[in-house]
Amino acid sequence: MSYDGLVSDGRIRPHGLTESECKRHIAELLELAEMDLFDASIAQRPLDRRHNSAYEAARATAEAVMAAEGYRRAGGEGQHAVLFVFLGAVDGGRFSAVSRHFDVARRLRNKTHYEKARIVSEATTTGTILRAESFVAETRAWLTERHPELVTEKQ
């Protein structure tokens, strides 16, 4: 789905931030992602929690991508899901594989968060952590390439 389609559906809207506000917002989201990746790396934590922390890192990173493109979620039901639909539309599908992976991770996160504990395997957790780490790094490179005005020295 295109950005215009998501706007027409009322799922996203322009964020209206100034360039400096957007730059700060993106830096904060990527800092949150790094914190979540740290939490995901703690081997003593349950697998579900490590998986969910890696998912949260990807969610924050997807929010940063959306902000860089000038949008935010519109509110209402399905707000995490729309992030990954949006992500699949960025740069002609540059993040489409990541989008699909984290949409699946989102569903698993919902089950572990709301329904049942201890259902995430070690392989799934490890794969989600590795994919989240890669996505954060790829997003930093993409920001430098496509939106250098929104990159801080810390990024």
Side-chain angles (χ1 to χ4, degrees):
M1 179 174 273
S2 69
Y3 296 177
D4 290 339
L6 291 167
V7 170
S8 294
D9 287 351
R11 297 174 75 187
I12 66 170
R13 63 184 176 145
H15 61 49
L17 299 174
T18 66
E19 184 177 300
S20 64
E21 290 169 333
C22 187
K23 185 175 184 176
R24 184 175 55 248
H25 182 56
I26 289 168
E28 290 167 349
L29 288 165
L30 292 176
E31 184 176 5
L32 288 172
E34 293 293 345
M35 291 168 48
D36 286 325
L37 287 174
F38 175 79
D39 288 348
S41 74
I42 300 171
Q44 294 81 6
R45 295 181 73 218
L47 291 172
D48 289 3
R49 296 293 161 228
R50 292 179 66 205
H51 172 271
N52 292 351
S53 291
Y55 165 79
E56 288 298 330
R59 185 204 50 76
T61 304
E63 292 266 11
V65 170
M66 185 181 272
E69 292 289 277
Y71 295 95
R72 57 174 258 155
R73 297 177 287 151
E77 193 172 320
Q79 289 306 295
H80 284 208
V82 75
L83 280 172
F84 300 109
V85 172
F86 180 91
L87 195 60
V90 173
D91 262 353
R94 177 174 182 161
F95 297 111
S96 60
V98 171
S99 170
R100 287 188 301 274
H101 178 88
F102 285 108
D103 192 50
V104 171
R106 175 188 61 78
R107 290 186 200 117
L108 186 54
R109 175 256 182 209
N110 288 350
K111 284 182 184 177
T112 65
H113 196 75
Y114 299 113
E115 296 174 24
K116 188 174 181 180
R118 303 195 188 282
I119 60 172
V120 182
S121 71
E122 186 168 349
T124 297
T125 298
T126 299
T128 299
I129 292 169
L130 292 173
R131 186 61 76 93
E133 290 170 342
S134 175
F135 177 44
V136 171
E138 183 179 358
T139 295
R140 290 181 189 284
W142 175 81
L143 284 166
T144 300
E145 171 191 321
R146 299 288 292 188
H147 297 283
E149 73 283 2
L150 300 176
V151 177
T152 63
E153 287 184 31
K154 188 176 181 180
Q155 289 174 347

